[in-house]
Amino acid sequence: MITTIITFIIVFGILVIVHEFGHFYFAKRGGILVREFSIGMGPKLVYHRGKDGTTYTLRLLPVGGYVRMAGAEDDEEELKPGTPVSLYVGDDEKVQRINTSKKSTLFNGIPLEVTGTDLEEELWIEGYENGDESEVKRYSVAHDATIIESDGTELQIAPKDVQFQSASLGRRLMTNFAGPMNNIFLAIIAYMLMAFVQGGVPMGTNQVTVASSPVSVAQKAGIKTNDKIMAVDGKKTSSWTDLSTAIQPRANQKTTLTIKRGSTTKQIVLKPAGQKSNGKTVGMIGITQAQNKHVGAILASGFTQTWMMTKTLLGALWSMVSGHFSLNDLGGPVAIFATTSQATKFGMVGVLNFLAFLSINLAIVNLIPIPALDGGKILLNIIEAIRRKPLSENVEAGITLVGVGFLVLLMLLVTWNDIERFFIH
């Protein structure tokens, strides 16, 4: 259980960090202020303000993360009239820090009860100083001033010129696409690493590697590594799939294999051993796929495996949409945790394969054009490009709200279904 928990946290952490770093990097490149880069959700544990203007936070729940971009829909910030704050004014007579938190105290802070603010365009804050309601005092706010939020996290304010909507359409579209793109890159790298750990890439042909074991049927019969099994009881086998399909039904039955070794062809008679698998007895002779150990093949496997898995997942998604939909087709954090337990049994290869699979899943799901997902945001970018102007803020906010509501409801249903599947029944 401990191994599963640690693996789950590491795998989930890698997925989130890589995904969010894509948004983070391209937002920075596009001149968008990233106010916060958070790993985890919920209450903050620690935070660090970088010289780049971004606050980096680690939060309690290791089941997600986010990039908080200035002016984006998840960057709601408003100092309401009546809010008590304290101000730190610099030598240039401009406010450098605005403290709204009772958890953090600013030395020499000026107490102010807010009556109005503009932290986007004209950059000012005004209110009653020291409880004196006879006069409203206004202060200019520095462009790079910070605000300490109620939980004690210090973030840079978000002037209009560094907000998400102020970036060009192309840069906004790239920022939205970068998260799923990074997950595709992660899958490619994970599959490459998996091939290195395995010592090569399965060749998929009828060439075999013989297991070195006293109980190996193939070894006892005289089959050697790099032999090619051309036929099983006269039935031609040109691929590993052909070979395994022909041998598995022949448990404990006398079977003739046609073997090619170099330029020599010979026949070997053996009886595949019977082994239980998923409640059935299948024939096994103690061979594995021959491996291509060339570095080029290993590197290429990252791309080919990612492409094959992407096609498989897209096919599954299409069958869900066009056929009978079931919640069992989906899985949330509970299902991922349960599957992590299975992956860890296969060691590093199993974990890397699982990481690649999840990363492709995350990329594909995020590109579905549902509001609140990256795909929904990209769709809005495309609509803006066609219309040559963005949708109104109210329309976009309404669409996003519907998308968020749908996703929250779906996540609740999926999570409960996963709990029933894996822990109740």
Side-chain angles (χ1 to χ4, degrees), residues 289-332:
Q289 288 178 278
Q291 303 281 314
N292 186 340
K293 299 183 178 181
H294 290 100
V295 174
I298 290 174
L299 295 178
S301 72
F303 295 91
T304 55
Q305 288 279 84
T306 298
W307 174 240
M308 289 170 60
M309 182 56 68
T310 300
K311 289 197 298 183
T312 300
L313 292 173
L314 287 174
L317 185 63
W318 174 250
S319 67
M320 285 170 53
V321 174
S322 59
H324 178 67
F325 172 76
S326 169
L327 281 176
N328 289 332
D329 296 329
L330 304 176

Side-chain angles (χ1 to χ4, degrees), residues 108-161:
N108 301 320
I110 300 172
L112 191 79
E113 181 183 328
V114 175
T115 59
T117 60
D118 181 351
L119 300 180
E120 293 189 354
E121 295 179 353
E122 295 182 12
L123 304 181
W124 52 262
I125 183 170
E126 64 182 18
Y128 303 126
E129 186 178 310
N130 288 310
D132 180 6
E133 297 187 7
S134 63
E135 179 185 6
V136 173
K137 196 157 185 183
R138 176 178 288 201
Y139 288 90
S140 293
V141 179
H143 183 276
D144 297 332
T146 60
I147 184 167
I148 300 174
E149 298 189 317
S150 57
D151 67 351
T153 306
E154 186 171 6
L155 304 174
Q156 192 165 313
I157 65 170
K160 204 77 172 179
D161 63 305

Side-chain angles (χ1 to χ4, degrees), residues 236-293:
K236 290 184 178 180
T237 53
S238 58
S239 69
W240 177 257
T241 301
D242 293 345
L243 187 54
S244 57
T245 302
I247 291 175
Q248 285 179 1
R250 302 196 59 79
N252 303 311
Q253 298 179 36
K254 187 178 287 187
T255 303
T256 301
L257 304 183
T258 304
I259 306 295
K260 187 174 184 180
R261 183 178 300 156
S263 58
T264 305
T265 300
K266 59 187 295 188
Q267 292 188 330
I268 292 178
V269 179
L270 48 70
K271 284 185 178 181
Q275 291 189 12
K276 289 285 185 181
S277 177
N278 296 325
K280 297 181 180 179
T281 301
V282 297
M284 308 283 281
I285 65 173
I287 59 174
T288 57
Q289 288 178 278
Q291 303 281 314
N292 186 340
K293 299 183 178 181

Side-chain angles (χ1 to χ4, degrees), residues 349-362:
V349 170
V351 172
L352 287 169
N353 188 45
F354 188 50
L355 174 63
F357 171 77
L358 286 179
S359 198
I360 298 170
N361 260 277
L362 184 59

